[in-house]
């Protein structure tokens, strides 16, 4: 996957803070314990404390040019502070810190006339500044009433940074800095929060927050500034933790050597395992396949074990069961399952995908023999709704414009969208069923050569839960000169029925679309947009 340029400069980073002179206001802000001691009369000034103790303790004395934005700065050891009065036209409501270093802040400010520039948090031991451009802005009717605002303005805000290390809790000095130089200062308590609970809080907020203007446009614009990249890094840490210690159980026939591995990721609905195996088991030649089911729902463990055991005894097919302790998402779960495959051919199949033709199993293996490898490295299939209309005949890219006036920004922005060829079309449309190279195929069914999949580094685990990792994989293949192909293999796909969908999954899909755009907009605009892309890798003569 391309290294994303957007947002990388804003990543939370830990760095030492060297001493350069002395500034009273900065010293008190960076050291809340000293601020409290001065307020209690124990010292006449911050300078007095610094001369007697602070210099020897290595405390930060000044930050020339202001605190670097969106960076964690190590300063001194933890201390205590006392609460100070709040300004009536702003507030810092919540500051949450997870054990892995995820930092969330929310509040509100009336910056309708004097624009917010930074939200800064100073704790004994570390500090951070959030750029206003990287905050999500939302409507806060309660704050509007307090500030006596008339008209429409997004007074609320929230932001997130992932420090990738444990930070101390405690009181913090929160400063809202406005464009005019006005500073609004508060004392806030940093509360602990579980890593996954913090991620889910933000994902739900992305979907349900009361934005000013079009919700999706506003959320996408805010995530594109910074939070999307930070969330991706935070989620990657959670994903790696989730797949680090899986439970694996095999139900195999002794002496059998399969030729292809069908990998299925389950979430929330264990009953699709026996249903899918029952329908595939009717296929001639299925003894050449093994099934690998990976579960992102730990609460389904008992049901999954029972279903896998009964299916194996009933149909005699080889089944490997992988149980995870939490939801690792589509990409990580499938990547893990691929490492447990015993064959060189991987079929990634959604749990709500079933064969439409009686000879699917044999025809699939025949394609691997009859087609050149450039076509079989990675290919998809025609997928149908249960009423016989086409659901998928390959995927292509479109670009949507997010109008600047709707976002309160100076210029418009662009965000990519993935569409399916022929969605809802009659099932026998010949142009849609023609074997051909396409920009991408859906992750509901992907057949790929294992070595090529591993060369591409598998599905990108940057994406949260699911959405866009299938198109991302295909675009990496296309960029390498070996695009995905469509075949005339046919299966049913009960789109969206194979798993449980929650509000936080919608938030994740929004984040993923932003990340996908950051990675692939340049390539897409270079001849890959629309139903008839002109990218040279898609010329059929090249195959």
């Amino acid at each position: 996957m391309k290294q994303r340029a957007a947002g990388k400069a804003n990543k939370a980073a830990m760095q030492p803070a060297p001493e350069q002179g002395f500034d009273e206001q900065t010293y008190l802000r960076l050291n809340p314990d000293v601020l409290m001691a001065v307020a209690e009369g124990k010292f006449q000034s911050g300078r007095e404390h610094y001369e007697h103790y602070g210099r020897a303790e290595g405390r930060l004395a000044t930050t020339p040019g202001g605190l670097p934005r969106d960076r964690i700065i190590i300063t001194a050891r933890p201390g205590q502070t006392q609460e100070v009065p709040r300004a009536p036209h702003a507030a810092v409501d919540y500051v949450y810190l997870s054990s892995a270093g995820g930092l969330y802040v929310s509040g509100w400010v009336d910056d309708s006339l004097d624009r917010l520039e930074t939200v800064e948090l100073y704790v004994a031991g570390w500090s951070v500044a959030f750029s206003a451009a990287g905050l999500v802005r939302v409507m806060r009717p309660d704050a509007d009433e307090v500030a006596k605002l008339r008209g429409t303005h997004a007074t609320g805000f929230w932001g997130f940074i992932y420090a990738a290390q444990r930070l101390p809790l405690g009181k913090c000095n929160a400063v809202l800095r406005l464009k005019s130089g006005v500073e609004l200062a508060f004392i806030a308590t940093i509360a602990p929060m579980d890593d996954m609970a913090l991620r889910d809080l933000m994902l739900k907020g992305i979907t349900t927050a009361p934005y000013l203007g079009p919700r999706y446009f506003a959320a996408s614009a805010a995530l594109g500034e910074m939070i999307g990249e930070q969330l991706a890094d935070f989620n990657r840490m959670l994903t790696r933790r989730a797949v680090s210690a899986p439970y694996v159980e095999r139900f195999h026939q002794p002496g059998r050597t399969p030729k292809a591995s069908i990998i299925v990721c389950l979430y929330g609905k264990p009953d699709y395992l026996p249903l899918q195996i029952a329908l595939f088991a009717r296929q001639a030649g299925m003894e050449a396949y093994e099934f690998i089911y990976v579960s992102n729902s730990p609460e389904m463990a008992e049901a999954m074990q029972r279903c896998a055991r009964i299916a194996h005894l009933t149909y005699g097919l080889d089944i490997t069961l992988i149980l995870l302790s939490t939801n690792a998402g589509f990409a990580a779960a499938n990547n893990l399952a691929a490492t447990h495959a015993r064959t060189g051919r991987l079929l990634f199949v959604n749990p709500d995908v079933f064969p439409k033709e009686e000879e699917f199993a044999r025809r699939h293996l025949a394609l691997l023999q009859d087609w050149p490898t450039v076509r079989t490295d990675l290919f998809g299939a025609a997928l149908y709704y249960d009423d016989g209309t086409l659901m998928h005949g390959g995927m292509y890219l479109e670009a949507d414009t997010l109008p600047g006036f709707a976002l309160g920004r100076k210029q418009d922005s662009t965000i990519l969208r993935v569409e399916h060829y022929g969605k809802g079309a009659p099932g026998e449309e010949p142009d849609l069923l023609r074997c051909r190279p396409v920009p991408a195929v859906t992750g509901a069914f992907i057949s790929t050569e294992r070595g090529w999949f591993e060369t591409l580094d598998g599905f990108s685990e940057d994406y949260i839960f699911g959405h866009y990792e299938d198109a991302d994989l295909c675009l990496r293949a296309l960029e390498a000169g070996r695009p995905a192909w469509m075949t005339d293999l046919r299966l049913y796909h009960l789109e969206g029925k194979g798993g449980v969908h929650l509000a936080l999954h919608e938030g994740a899909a929004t984040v993923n679309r932003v990340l996908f755009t950051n990675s692939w907009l340049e390539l897409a605009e270079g001849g890959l947009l629309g139903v008839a892309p002109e990218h040279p890798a898609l010329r059929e003569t090249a195959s």
Side-chain angles (χ1 to χ4, degrees):
M1 183 175 184
K2 291 182 178 178
Q3 182 176 357
R4 293 182 294 270
K8 288 297 182 186
N10 289 324
K11 283 185 179 292
M14 307 297 298
Q15 62 183 42
E19 175 190 343
Q20 297 183 14
F22 184 87
D23 180 88
E24 178 78 14
Q25 185 179 23
T26 298
Y27 187 70
L28 293 176
R29 177 176 299 138
L30 295 175
N31 301 282
D33 56 328
V34 180
L35 175 66
M36 184 180 70
V38 172
E40 293 174 347
K42 296 179 180 178
F43 297 93
Q44 294 297 316
S45 65
R47 181 69 185 229
E48 180 183 353
H49 177 277
Y50 179 72
E51 295 296 342
H52 284 83
Y53 303 101
R55 189 196 308 276
E57 294 172 354
R59 298 198 183 217
L60 188 70
T62 185
T63 53
L67 186 68
R69 297 180 182 181
D70 304 324
R71 299 189 185 278
I72 300 289
I73 308 279
I74 295 296
T75 55
R77 61 177 181 265
Q80 299 294 322
T81 60
Q82 64 182 10
E83 191 168 8
V84 297
R86 287 183 169 181
H89 53 299
V92 174
D93 296 327
Y94 301 104
V95 183
Y96 295 130
L97 181 62
S98 76
S99 60
L103 180 66
Y104 170 91
V105 61
S106 69
W108 63 271
V109 58
D110 174 15
D111 63 340
S112 54
L113 300 177
D114 189 1
R115 188 175 69 246
L116 178 68
E117 288 207 328
T118 59
V119 174
E120 302 168 8
L121 305 178
Y122 299 91
V123 186
W126 59 273
S127 51
V128 61
F130 294 85
S131 297
L135 298 172
V136 177
R137 299 303 299 266
V138 297
M139 302 289 288
R140 285 287 299 270
D142 58 333
D144 295 347
E145 184 176 349
V146 171
K148 296 182 171 54
L149 280 181
R150 295 181 179 179
T152 304
H153 183 67
T155 51
F157 65 81
W158 68 267
F160 174 75
I161 278 180
Y162 174 44
Q165 62 179 288
R166 186 180 294 272
L167 298 172
L169 297 165
K171 296 284 188 179
C172 74
N173 185 15
V175 178
L176 277 58
R177 191 185 303 277
L178 306 182
K179 181 178 178 61
S180 66
V182 170
E183 298 179 5
L184 309 173
F186 316 92
I187 294 294
T189 300
I190 302 177
M193 181 173 280
D194 176 76
D195 290 317
M196 286 191 293
L198 180 56
R199 178 195 62 186
D200 294 351
L201 169 71
M202 290 181 288
L203 293 177
K204 291 176 184 176
I206 290 168
T207 301
T208 61
Y211 296 100
L212 176 63
R215 183 200 66 81
Y216 197 89
F217 285 4
S220 299
L223 293 170
E225 291 290 345
M226 174 181 169
I227 291 176
E229 297 283 351
Q230 298 290 331
L231 267 172
D233 289 344
F234 188 58
N235 183 73
R236 194 182 302 110
M237 174 274 299
L238 294 175
T239 293
R240 290 172 180 170
R241 184 190 298 173
V243 300
S244 63
Y247 171 85
V248 180
E249 189 170 359
R250 297 186 185 274
F251 305 90
H252 289 175
Q253 294 279 37
R256 179 176 289 171
T257 303
K259 297 179 179 179
S261 305
I262 297 177
I263 295 173
V264 184
C265 179
L266 288 170
Y267 176 72
K269 295 184 178 181
D271 46 325
Y272 272 90
L273 186 157
L275 175 61
Q276 189 175 54
I277 289 181
L279 293 174
F280 271 98
R282 300 167 59 186
Q283 293 273 306
M286 278 307 298
E287 67 278 359
Y289 294 78
E290 67 170 347
F291 283 87
I292 303 174
Y293 282 90
V294 55
S295 172
N296 272 324
S297 298
E299 71 280 1
M300 300 192 322
E302 182 181 0
M304 290 282 291
Q305 288 175 297
R306 182 174 61 253
C307 289
R309 184 178 297 108
I310 293 173
H312 170 66
L313 292 173
T314 303
Y315 303 107
L317 298 177
D318 286 0
I319 302 171
T320 297
L321 184 62
I322 303 174
L323 305 176
L324 301 180
S325 61
T326 188
N327 186 359
F330 178 91
N334 277 295
N335 288 344
L336 173 66
T339 66
H340 289 271
R342 295 183 291 156
T343 77
R345 171 56 50 168
L346 308 177
L347 288 77
F348 297 99
V349 181
N350 274 13
D352 51 8
V353 168
F354 315 106
K356 187 177 187 294
E357 53 188 357
E358 293 183 1
E359 291 296 313
F360 165 80
R362 288 177 175 171
R363 286 195 63 220
H364 173 263
L365 292 178
L367 280 178
L368 304 182
Q369 297 295 323
D370 299 341
W371 274 21
T373 57
V374 69
R375 295 189 182 190
T376 60
D377 282 335
L378 193 159
F379 63 83
L383 302 182
Y384 291 80
Y385 291 113
D386 56 359
D387 64 359
T389 58
L390 193 65
M391 177 263 160
H392 167 269
M395 299 198 302
Y396 62 95
L397 304 180
E398 293 285 13
D400 294 328
T401 298
L402 309 184
F405 70 84
L407 304 172
R409 297 170 184 267
K410 293 181 180 179
Q411 60 185 10
D412 301 341
S413 57
T414 301
I415 188 166
L416 292 177
R417 170 168 44 92
V418 176
E419 292 291 350
H420 293 233
Y421 284 107
K423 192 165 190 173
E428 297 300 324
E429 186 65 38
D431 286 344
L432 297 173
L433 299 177
R434 181 172 56 88
C435 298
R436 67 201 189 280
V438 290
V441 294
T442 177
F445 179 91
I446 289 177
S447 177
T448 181
E449 194 273 324
R450 181 173 185 163
W452 181 232
F453 180 74
E454 293 172 349
T455 298
L456 295 173
D457 294 327
F459 291 108
S460 170
E461 296 174 14
D462 287 351
Y463 298 100
I464 305 174
F465 293 141
H467 287 296
Y468 292 95
E469 61 280 282
D470 48 6
D472 178 271
L473 175 71
C474 294
L475 291 184
R476 281 183 277 132
L478 181 146
E479 195 174 42
R482 295 155 71 177
W485 271 73
M486 271 299 299
T487 68
D488 61 353
L489 294 172
R490 304 184 184 194
L491 302 102
Y492 285 112
H493 181 205
L494 307 183
E495 187 181 24
K497 304 297 185 182
V500 176
H501 297 275
L502 305 174
L504 61 91
H505 300 140
E506 294 300 319
T510 304
V511 175
N512 292 350
R513 188 178 175 189
V514 171
L515 297 175
F516 182 77
T517 300
N518 290 347
S519 293
W520 298 111
L521 181 59
E522 183 179 352
L523 178 68
E525 291 180 334
L528 207 54
L529 290 174
V531 296
E534 300 177 353
H535 194 281
L538 297 175
R539 296 172 185 164
E540 295 182 55
T541 55
S543 63

